[in-house]
Amino acid sequence: MRPRALSALALGLVLLVTGCGEAGKSPEKAAAPPSASASPSPTPVTKPSPTPTTPAKPKLRPLPKKLPAGLHRASGSNGVALTFDDGPDPRYTPQILAQLRAAHVKATFCVVGKQAKRYPELVARIVREGHQLCNHSWHHDVNLGRRSAAEIRSDLERTNEAIHAAAPKAPITWFRQPGGRWTAEEVTIAKQMGLRPLHWSVDPQDWDHPPAKTIIKRVKGATRHGSVVLMHDAGGDRAQTMAACRHLIPDLKRRYGIALPR
Ligand SMILES: [Zn+2]
């Protein structure tokens, strides 16, 4: 095979060198890679670059193996902190607000910037009813913590602006990284912006649509004094979370008290 391949190559070279005048007429030759030696060019020959002009995708910084230091994972008091993520949502946020009002307790809403822009009246209502706000990134970017400092900062700013367009001057006490995929850099930036990094200690995984009784069992099994409970009032069908909360809110209030994290 090898001598034949070599002779074919040699023939090809001969054809290229000798047949350059007719190269355009033959489809086979037109398909052959252009050879600089075949026709002398006035411009210096440059080899085609493997990655020509498309800008390189910015690299994501690696996710740390352990959660970074400085996260708030406890309520800071004996009471349990309730946190509701990914809203506001016109279907579920009013239901949770009504439940909280009926129980005379306050919670923290981790709102997504896009949702805040779309439903400003719900952000205003969260604030008016005495609840706390948490920035949860512009479009729930689970990789936000891995991006450049400038990207992290502008995402958090944009989200704060959407919140403040809905509820001017409302304090935005916290930031929570979507998916809990924190990096140390992101914690530092959030703190520099006056946003305290809020994690959680109880996660019933309600986003995965377990039945209400499973959500109740998981929360009751894991909650202690000072727990921060993560649940969702948006991002999908939250009927089971709503049903679970009808039981959990009065129950947790009676056993531990419900408090805002601090
Ligand atoms: Zn989320």
Side-chain angles (χ1 to χ4, degrees):
M1 284 299 284
R2 198 139 186 268
R4 276 178 71 180
L6 275 173
S7 61
L9 181 67
L11 179 67
L13 279 173
V14 168
L15 283 173
L16 272 172
V17 172
T18 57
C20 62
E22 290 173 28
K25 290 179 187 167
S26 152
E28 277 158 19
K29 281 180 191 161
S35 164
S37 64
S39 58
S41 158
T43 51
V45 174
T46 50
K47 281 191 177 166
S49 145
T51 50
T53 47
T54 43
K57 238 186 171 182
K59 266 191 191 152
L60 296 174
R61 77 167 57 80
L63 206 60
K65 288 196 175 66
K66 272 170 51 186
L67 285 173
L71 299 178
H72 292 262
R73 306 168 75 168
S75 69
S77 71
N78 264 339
V80 168
L82 299 179
T83 64
F84 295 97
D85 284 20
D86 301 358
D89 178 282
R91 187 154 172 213
Y92 301 114
T93 306
Q95 291 185 44
I96 283 296
L97 286 170
Q99 290 190 29
L100 295 168
R101 191 179 341 138
H104 303 284
V105 295
K106 308 296 180 204
T108 305
F109 287 82
C110 297
V111 303
V112 171
K114 268 173 90 171
Q115 295 291 106
K117 191 183 174 190
R118 200 163 165 201
Y119 304 109
E121 69 289 350
L122 288 175
V123 177
R125 188 173 155 195
I126 288 168
V127 174
R128 203 166 56 237
E129 298 191 5
H131 304 291
Q132 222 177 30
L133 287 173
C134 170
N135 178 323
H136 197 39
S137 87
W138 177 254
H139 61 95
H140 207 267
D141 181 359
V142 292
N143 283 319
L144 184 61
R146 305 175 63 195
R147 302 190 191 283
S148 74
E151 284 174 292
I152 295 172
R153 190 174 288 274
S154 78
D155 185 295
L156 299 195
E157 278 169 358
R158 190 179 181 194
T159 304
N160 279 354
E161 280 162 19
I163 292 170
H164 280 151
K169 294 182 185 168
I172 305 167
T173 314
W174 306 98
F175 168 66
R176 175 178 277 167
Q177 163 60 39
R181 289 157 64 93
W182 300 90
T183 61
E185 291 81 354
E186 181 178 48
V187 169
T188 302
I189 292 165
K191 283 181 176 172
Q192 284 167 353
M193 293 175 64
L195 300 167
R196 303 165 75 202
L198 180 61
H199 197 65
W200 58 80
S201 56
V202 177
D203 176 9
Q205 307 206 312
D206 64 328
W207 51 266
D208 199 22
H209 312 105
K213 67 175 195 315
T214 305
I215 298 174
I216 292 168
K217 200 172 127 196
R218 287 174 179 169
V219 171
K220 280 186 164 181
T223 300
R224 307 283 181 267
H225 281 290
S227 289
V228 176
V229 181
L230 164 66
M231 286 186 283
H232 296 81
D233 66 334
D237 182 346
R238 300 293 173 237
Q240 297 306 308
T241 302
M242 300 297 112
C245 280
R246 278 192 281 279
H247 173 87
L248 283 172
I249 292 173
D251 181 78
L252 296 177
K253 183 186 178 185
R254 186 174 49 78
R255 287 201 286 163
Y256 308 99
I258 290 176
L260 289 172
R262 59 183 195 217

